[in-house]
Amino acid sequence: MSLSSACRRAVAVTAGVTALTLGLALPALAHVTINPGTAEQGSFTKVAFRVPNERDDASTSKIEVTFPTDHPLPFVSVKPLPGWKVKVTEGKLPKPVTTEYGEITEAVTKITWSGGKIEPGQFQEFEVSMGALPKDTDHLVFPAAQTYTSGEVVKWADEAGADGSEPKHPAPVLKLTPASGEGHGAAPSPSETTPVTPTATAVAAPPVAPVAAAADADSSDGTARLLGGAGLLAGLAGVVVGVLGLRRGGRTS
């Protein structure tokens, strides 16, 4: 075999392996997913259902997302998306569910976006705000159905196997983690609390008025002592004058 033939064969094998690898990877990249994929139990969150177009000869024209009824969400709102119509469907639950907001008998069961197009090689995100998320489960499943302009419908509704293996058409899953205590409704930490009054008073500047009053008191006390001393001297002088007068009177007589 010539060197050029060997090179061509090596290139062909490499190309074949690359194509096979990409062929196996593409289906995994085409899943309908929910982003971010995690949220805290008991919180309110905003998520985006990310829908890639996995066909080369058709566009995605509709996406339907089914909401859980065993763990219904009391509050659901949708962000408008230019070029797409949105329909929020509410329905009666199989059985009432008790939450911190009371007993729920009806809830959002499905959201449908239609009228727009996701062209080949593109993706779109459909945003939803929802809560409060349940506290008694570690995940929520949102089965989705993707409709193409060719009439094909792909259902992303399978859950992972018992061994954790990924199914062919996995449903979007939102994993729920225990609340950290820093989210909605959490008590403030000691570092965030307002300082108590004694602390504020301790750093306040001392008032000036008492110092002035003390100075005035010292001044008045000194004045009083001075006047008292002067009076005492005057009294002694009077006594001396009186004694001298008596002596002079005795000599004259």
Side-chain angles (χ1 to χ4, degrees):
M1 181 183 295
S2 64
L3 181 61
S4 59
S5 298
C7 290
R8 285 196 297 270
R9 184 174 181 179
V11 171
V13 171
T14 302
V17 172
T18 302
L20 178 60
T21 302
L22 291 176
L24 294 175
L26 284 177
L29 296 175
H31 297 345
V32 174
T33 57
I34 186 169
N35 297 277
T38 60
E40 287 189 357
Q41 295 174 337
S43 70
F44 285 76
T45 188
K46 184 190 77 170
V47 299
F49 292 95
R50 183 175 297 169
V51 182
N53 187 73
E54 61 174 3
R55 297 291 181 263
D56 295 329
D57 56 353
S59 300
T60 296
S61 57
K62 184 170 72 172
I63 182 74
E64 296 177 336
V65 176
T66 301
F67 277 59
T69 55
D70 55 343
H71 294 94
L73 300 171
F75 305 99
V76 177
S77 58
V78 181
K79 183 176 182 179
L81 184 63
W84 292 83
K85 298 178 181 178
V86 60
K87 179 181 179 182
V88 179
T89 303
E90 294 185 3
K92 194 173 184 64
L93 300 176
K95 62 179 181 178
V97 176
T98 302
T99 69
E100 59 182 309
Y101 302 99
E103 187 178 80
I104 300 177
T105 58
E106 294 185 356
V108 172
T109 58
K110 184 172 62 174
I111 300 180
T112 304
W113 289 270
S114 61
K117 282 187 178 182
I118 306 175
E119 302 290 348
Q122 299 180 356
F123 74 93
Q124 185 60 265
E125 290 187 335
F126 303 88
E127 295 182 323
V128 177
S129 175
M130 56 190 183
L133 299 177
K135 301 178 182 179
D136 57 350
T137 183
D138 61 358
H139 72 284
L140 293 175
V141 181
F142 298 85
Q146 184 176 10
T147 302
Y148 290 90
T149 51
S150 62
E152 179 188 10
V153 178
V154 178
K155 294 185 177 180
W156 305 94
D158 300 332
E159 295 192 48
D163 59 352
S165 59
E166 187 176 71
K168 184 178 180 180
H169 295 95
V173 176
L174 178 64
K175 295 181 180 180
L176 302 180
T177 59
S180 64
E182 299 177 356
H184 175 71
S189 62
S191 62
E192 298 172 338
T193 56
T194 304
V196 293
T197 303
T199 303
T201 304
V203 298
V208 179
V211 177
D216 292 342
D218 291 342
S219 177
S220 299
D221 185 55
T223 303
R225 290 178 181 178
L226 181 61
L227 293 176
L232 180 59
L233 292 176
L236 290 176
V239 171
V240 172
V241 172
V243 171
L244 292 176
L246 289 176
R247 289 182 177 179
R248 290 175 180 176
R251 292 176 181 176
T252 304
S253 58

